[in-house]
Amino acid sequence: MNSTYLIVMAGGIGSRFWPFSRTHHPKQFHDVMGVGRSMLQLAVDRFTGVCPSENVFVVTNRDYMGLVQEHLPHLPADQILGEPIGRNTAPCIAYASYRIAQRDPQATIIVTPADHAVMREEEFRRLIRMAIEAARANDVLITLGIQPSRPDTGYGYIQYLDNQSLPGGELHKVKTFTEKPNLELARMFVDSGDFLWNSGLFVWRADVILAAFHHYLSDIAEVFDEGAALLGTAQEEEFISQAYSRCRNISIDYGVMEKADNVYVLPADFGWSDVGTWDSLHRIGQHDEHDNMVSGNVLLYDTTGCVIKTPSERLVVVQGLEDYIVAEYDNVLLICKRSEEQRVKEFVADVKAKKGSGYN
């Protein structure tokens, strides 16, 4: 356990969850689930007993470092890594992995986004421990794949080879990664039985992921090799500013996982959701007898299948809506059909262009 480390990626804005998730206060710092804990706090909580707190590293935008400290007051400032600009997940993971490898070359690393929901935490921890054991014993890159419950076009998919597994038979060699497919393709994937949703959860040894960076993203590895000795020193912040200006904007999936030949997937079913959209919140939230997911001081009449999230200090009365999103936060009210929620990013862009940056 003392050589197990956790990287929590907490730098995103989550614009599909607008207006609740905003540039100055993204969704990972909100109590989205209505349980009294933010998404970031829940993300760290679920690794209790798996990874000691002194081995937890949170990577976030420098603008959010203060928020991270507020939400995780037990976490030393040295374990909050600030990115000067967003460069997607590959530079983020490289930064934290180099920092961890410098401290413990034998480290096994778990990588998790900060804004996912897990309903069955004991099963989650069981599978994470299984992946840790496999990563310690094998030179492999492991991802957790979620058993799909429907043909969803909002997730990437992983196809695996049933006849090529690590000892024990639980982890299968990955055949292909597919980015978010159209609905017809998603249906084919789910019907085939050998595709899983890409969860964005990873487990590997530090030496294995650094070797993968050198092989598949050598330009990023070269940048961090040059300044590895500065990590953990007073020069780290200045080095990282320069390093990120030289790094491409690229995801770990596209840069490494889709190219590497030592990638294995552990099929998982622990009540997972990436809580990336209002519709995903409707799927996992508590519903009333008319299939509404409600958070706020609300009275409903003749209203079904809606997501309603409004400030508790404002009384909201809704009549006659079916399958709508009604969301208010910090001077913005959104009313949108659930079936049209993919347009939220379009709304955000229009608001910024026509109303200024104070609303995004």
Side-chain angles (χ1 to χ4, degrees), residues 179-231:
E179 288 302 312
K180 299 170 184 176
N182 61 38
L183 186 57
E184 184 181 353
L185 200 55
R187 285 199 184 102
M188 288 172 57
F189 288 169
V190 174
D191 290 344
S192 75
D194 59 356
F195 281 82
L196 303 164
W197 286 336
N198 186 354
S199 71
L201 284 158
F202 307 107
V203 182
W204 42 52
R205 289 201 319 271
D207 61 317
V208 176
I209 188 59
L210 293 193
F213 271 104
H214 281 96
H215 194 274
Y216 301 104
L217 289 173
S218 58
D219 53 330
I220 291 177
E222 183 180 326
V223 168
F224 283 94
D225 284 343
E226 287 177 14
L230 301 176
L231 297 176

Side-chain angles (χ1 to χ4, degrees), residues 85-334:
I85 47 176
R87 279 288 186 259
N88 215 315
T89 53
C92 164
I93 290 170
Y95 177 13
S97 297
Y98 269 83
R99 178 76 179 275
I100 290 167
Q102 182 192 57
R103 174 170 151 181
D104 183 357
Q106 309 303 317
T108 302
I109 299 171
I110 310 159
V111 180
T112 182
D115 54 359
H116 288 184
V118 169
M119 299 294 111
R120 295 192 293 279
E121 293 201 345
E122 281 307 313
E123 174 66 2
F124 172 81
R125 283 188 277 267
R126 184 186 75 82
L127 290 166
I128 287 289
R129 289 189 177 103
M130 184 186 297
I132 290 168
E133 288 178 17
R136 283 193 180 130
N138 301 275
D139 296 344
V140 293
L141 304 169
I142 297 171
T143 182
L144 272 69
I146 307 300
Q147 297 283 2
S149 57
R150 61 189 180 279
D152 198 305
T153 60
Y155 298 140
Y157 285 73
I158 301 169
Q159 185 181 25
Y160 63 92
L161 298 167
D162 213 13
N163 60 349
Q164 293 189 43
S165 304
L166 291 179
E170 299 273 3
L171 286 98
H172 306 284
K173 191 172 180 64
V174 169
K175 182 179 180 182
T176 59
F177 284 83
T178 303
E179 288 302 312
K180 299 170 184 176
N182 61 38
L183 186 57
E184 184 181 353
L185 200 55
R187 285 199 184 102
M188 288 172 57
F189 288 169
V190 174
D191 290 344
S192 75
D194 59 356
F195 281 82
L196 303 164
W197 286 336
N198 186 354
S199 71
L201 284 158
F202 307 107
V203 182
W204 42 52
R205 289 201 319 271
D207 61 317
V208 176
I209 188 59
L210 293 193
F213 271 104
H214 281 96
H215 194 274
Y216 301 104
L217 289 173
S218 58
D219 53 330
I220 291 177
E222 183 180 326
V223 168
F224 283 94
D225 284 343
E226 287 177 14
L230 301 176
L231 297 176
T233 74
Q235 286 78 47
E236 178 174 332
E237 185 176 340
E238 182 182 352
F239 162 65
I240 289 299
S241 294
Q242 296 172 355
Y244 267 67
S245 70
R246 296 167 57 194
C247 284
R248 290 186 274 162
N249 186 321
I250 188 169
S251 71
I252 196 72
D253 296 278
Y254 185 73
V256 173
M257 303 300 280
E258 293 180 15
K259 298 177 173 64
D261 59 3
N262 61 335
V263 179
Y264 284 76
V265 64
L266 176 58
D269 184 4
F270 41 69
W272 172 90
S273 173
D274 73 347
V275 199
T277 64
W278 288 107
D279 202 50
S280 66
L281 182 60
H282 182 268
R283 279 196 296 272
I284 65 172
Q286 296 291 318
H287 296 175
D288 67 11
E289 64 272 27
H290 300 294
D291 197 32
N292 299 299
M293 196 244 104
V294 179
S295 175
N297 186 10
V298 179
L299 287 175
L300 301 180
Y301 301 88
D302 314 316
T303 292
T304 59
C306 290
V307 182
I308 300 170
K309 195 167 181 66
T310 55
S312 57
E313 64 271 16
R314 186 190 301 278
L315 173 63
V316 176
V317 180
V318 178
Q319 187 276 329
L321 289 187
E322 182 178 347
D323 296 333
Y324 265 78
I325 300 159
V326 180
E328 182 184 359
Y329 180 77
D330 190 22
N331 74 359
V332 175
L333 170 65
L334 170 72

